[in-house]
């Protein structure tokens, strides 16, 4: 969750495309780089969606993950 939050915060400050453009692949890669955690795309999508909502952004553009 910290990784997704970090990416969203950085995108809000430095990116003109906005935090909604952060991808699940970015979350998975940074989780591995910082914490040596291997997470799959579905788990990364959950963390990313939670971080977006926690910061007040929409997740309407994100595809729903399989249950």
């Amino acid at each position: 969750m910290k990784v997704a939050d970090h990416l969203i915060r950085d995108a809000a400050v430095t990116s003109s495309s906005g935090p909604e453009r952060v991808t699940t692949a970015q979350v998975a890669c940074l989780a591995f780089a910082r914490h040596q955690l291997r997470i799959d795309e579905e788990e990364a999508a959950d963390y990313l969606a939670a971080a977006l909502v926690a910061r007040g952004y929409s997740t309407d553009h994100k595809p729903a993950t399989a249950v």
Side-chain angles (χ1 to χ4, degrees), residues 2-3 5-6 11 34 39 54:
K2 283 178 123 178
V3 168
D5 191 56
H6 172 80
R34 285 207 172 159
I39 62 173

Side-chain angles (χ1 to χ4, degrees), residues 2-63:
K2 283 178 123 178
V3 168
D5 191 56
H6 172 80
L7 287 169
I8 290 168
R9 188 171 4 114
D10 279 1
V13 173
T14 61
S15 173
S16 61
S17 59
E20 289 97 345
R21 304 298 264 168
V22 174
T23 67
T24 56
Q26 290 172 312
V27 174
C29 287
L30 190 57
F32 183 76
R34 285 207 172 159
H35 307 287
Q36 294 73 47
L37 295 173
R38 288 194 187 273
I39 62 173
D40 60 26
E41 293 282 326
E42 188 173 315
E43 189 174 1
D46 290 342
Y47 289 126
L48 182 54
L52 283 167
V53 169
R55 289 193 163 266
Y57 296 103
S58 172
T59 60
D60 291 343
H61 62 287
K62 299 284 182 194

